[in-house]
Structure formats: structure tokens, C-alpha cells
Amino acid sequence: GIRLRFGGDFSFCASRYDLDDLAEARRRKDLVPLDGMQLMIDYRMSGVGSASCKGQQPLRECRINPGERVDFVLEIRPE
């Protein structure tokens, strides 16, 4: 096993399945678990209805702005 330690504001997803396989699978039984695990880390995400579909931009304080410093800590250790 592994131990994860996080510090700061961000979100993550750990999955035993490849993201492309998840997007293409029609049924759960179509999925084949990976030998390992994928860890995806996001600092910020835009919600549905943002400029990704020609909607309004998120408020400035809700965006990652040019020159903005992003700090977080991720430590991965074997158990």
C-alpha cells in the first residue's frame, strides 16, 4: 500500500481504471482494472456552464489568473 499526505487546496481522484476506458465503457463489466492506480490532481476546475460551453467566465476570484502562485504539497510514501 501507499500513504498519501496532502496540504493546500486542490482536489484529486484515485482510480483503478484508465480515464479513456471509463469514458468509452458502456457498462461497468466492460471495465478492466489496471495493475496499478492512476492519481489525478486538479488545483481548480470550472463548473459546467462556464466558457467551455459559451457561458459566462467564472468570477475572477474563482479562476486561475495569469501570474497567480499555486502552492500545495503532495507526499507519497510506501507503507
Side-chain angles (χ1 to χ4, degrees):
I2 62 169
R3 178 180 297 214
L4 301 174
R5 184 176 72 85
F6 302 97
D9 295 328
F10 64 96
S11 64
F12 73 96
C13 174
S15 177
R16 296 180 338 156
Y17 302 101
D18 182 87
L19 286 179
D20 291 330
D21 292 345
L22 285 169
E24 293 174 14
R26 295 183 61 125
R27 292 174 295 280
R28 187 176 182 154
K29 69 179 184 175
D30 296 338
L31 294 170
V32 178
L34 299 170
D35 290 334
M37 185 167 287
Q38 289 189 344
L39 178 64
M40 286 73 64
I41 300 170
D42 291 302
Y43 173 62
R44 267 194 205 146
M45 296 174 277
S46 289
V48 174
S50 65
S52 64
C53 56
K54 300 187 184 192
Q56 294 180 341
Q57 287 284 331
L59 298 173
R60 183 164 181 78
E61 60 268 17
C62 297
R63 292 183 282 182
I64 298 174
N65 299 296
E68 179 180 349
R69 184 181 167 121
V70 176
D71 289 316
F72 66 87
V73 174
L74 169 62
E75 184 179 312
I76 304 173
R77 291 185 180 192
E79 278 195 326

